Amino acid sequence: MRVLIVEDDEVLARALQQALQHAGMVPDICHDGHQAQVLGCVERYDAAVLDLGLPGQDGLSTLRHWREQGQHFSVLVLTARSRWSDKLDAFQAGADDYLTKPFLEDEVVTRLRVLHRRHQGRATPIVTVGPLRYDTIADRFQLDERHLTLTAQEQRILAHLIQRSGQVVSRADIAEHVYARDLDPDSNTLDVLIGRIRRKLSPHTLIHTERGRGYRLALKEDPDALA
């Protein structure tokens, strides 16, 4: 899950970044409303954590611009403003959720996961593909009802694939959602990681390579899945 943190308090932004990284997400930080407006339109994010009081341009104007430009990623407003009128303005501008400061970092993580689940059109936090089970709230995998141990990068890749199960996911799409904005893994790195995940999913064949297109996570019985 790739998240844009828009917060002018650098200490708070860094703390949020660390909390989201620890939760297996890929967070980018910006401190200015104008920069956030641009990033939200040119980069591909799954969600944003947005403060309202920002230098350059306020959060509401930034949010309105995103929505006017057709950007539909989930937006969690995180602000000290607790009046109902402020909440109403944020929701009318296109916010999906609203949380006031002070807050618990775990709550921010949980709310982002719930927003992402709803954005994917799922009513339950559990995603299953055959023997593989993913709890999107706890961010945990089970294979054949046993806990699956993965590295942070493996976890991000597999989470991205299972939430798009049955679909072909390109290498560029995986890189964009699994790595930070300034880190672009070479193709060999991704091959190595996919290979390690496949071995951990053994004896099941769940990740299929579509030559020249990317990867698909699906049951072996899926006639569209190419090994």
Side-chain angles (χ1 to χ4, degrees):
M1 185 175 179
R2 194 173 178 205
V3 182
L4 176 62
I5 299 171
V6 189
E7 171 61 61
D8 64 331
D9 184 327
E10 295 188 14
V11 174
L12 177 56
R14 186 65 61 186
L16 281 171
Q17 182 185 45
Q18 292 174 352
L20 298 193
Q21 286 175 335
H22 183 72
M25 301 179 191
V26 181
D28 292 336
I29 293 177
C30 73
H31 308 293
D32 176 88
H34 286 303
Q35 182 189 15
Q37 175 178 300
V38 173
L39 286 175
C41 291
V42 301
E43 300 286 344
R44 293 179 59 187
Y45 291 105
D46 299 299
V49 178
L50 178 66
D51 190 13
L52 295 183
L54 297 169
Q57 177 174 271
D58 66 89
L60 281 182
S61 297
T62 300
L63 176 54
R64 291 190 185 102
H65 181 84
W66 287 342
R67 296 317 192 207
E68 288 168 358
Q69 296 302 309
Q71 303 301 320
H72 301 302
F73 53 82
S74 301
V75 175
L76 168 61
V77 169
L78 189 61
T79 179
R81 302 177 188 179
S82 59
R83 296 180 303 177
W84 166 243
S85 59
D86 293 319
K87 296 179 181 179
L88 182 60
D89 288 343
F91 284 119
Q92 289 179 335
D96 298 280
D97 201 356
Y98 194 104
L99 185 60
T100 55
K101 302 173 183 178
F103 57 88
L104 296 175
E105 292 174 355
D106 286 347
E107 183 174 3
V108 175
V109 169
T110 299
R111 285 177 182 249
L112 285 172
R113 286 178 174 160
V114 170
L115 288 175
H116 189 51
R117 184 187 81 211
R118 291 174 179 170
H119 190 73
Q120 296 290 323
R122 296 191 306 274
T124 172
I126 306 299
V127 184
T128 59
V129 176
L132 184 64
R133 172 187 173 96
Y134 177 49
D135 185 330
T136 61
I137 299 298
D139 193 33
R140 294 174 183 168
F141 281 96
Q142 285 185 323
L143 183 67
D144 293 324
E145 299 184 357
R146 296 189 301 272
H147 176 67
L148 188 62
T149 302
L150 301 162
T151 67
Q153 288 180 330
E154 293 167 357
Q155 180 91 2
R156 291 169 184 162
I157 291 172
L158 190 54
H160 191 60
L161 290 175
I162 197 171
Q163 294 192 74
R164 290 157 179 78
S165 59
Q167 304 174 27
V168 178
V169 183
S170 70
R171 304 171 70 88
D173 187 69
I174 293 173
E176 189 170 353
H177 282 80
V178 171
Y179 293 86
R181 188 171 71 243
D182 56 346
L183 293 175
D184 291 320
D186 58 44
S187 59
N188 183 63
T189 299
L190 186 55
D191 288 337
V192 170
L193 290 169
I194 291 290
R196 289 193 335 212
I197 296 170
R198 279 179 166 142
R199 288 193 290 274
K200 291 182 179 182
L201 295 178
S202 178
H204 305 286
T205 303
L206 296 174
I207 299 179
H208 309 271
T209 300
E210 300 253 3
R211 289 182 178 83
R213 299 178 64 198
Y215 301 96
R216 182 201 302 265
L217 189 137
L219 291 173
K220 190 175 182 179
E221 292 77 7
D222 183 347
D224 295 323
L226 302 178

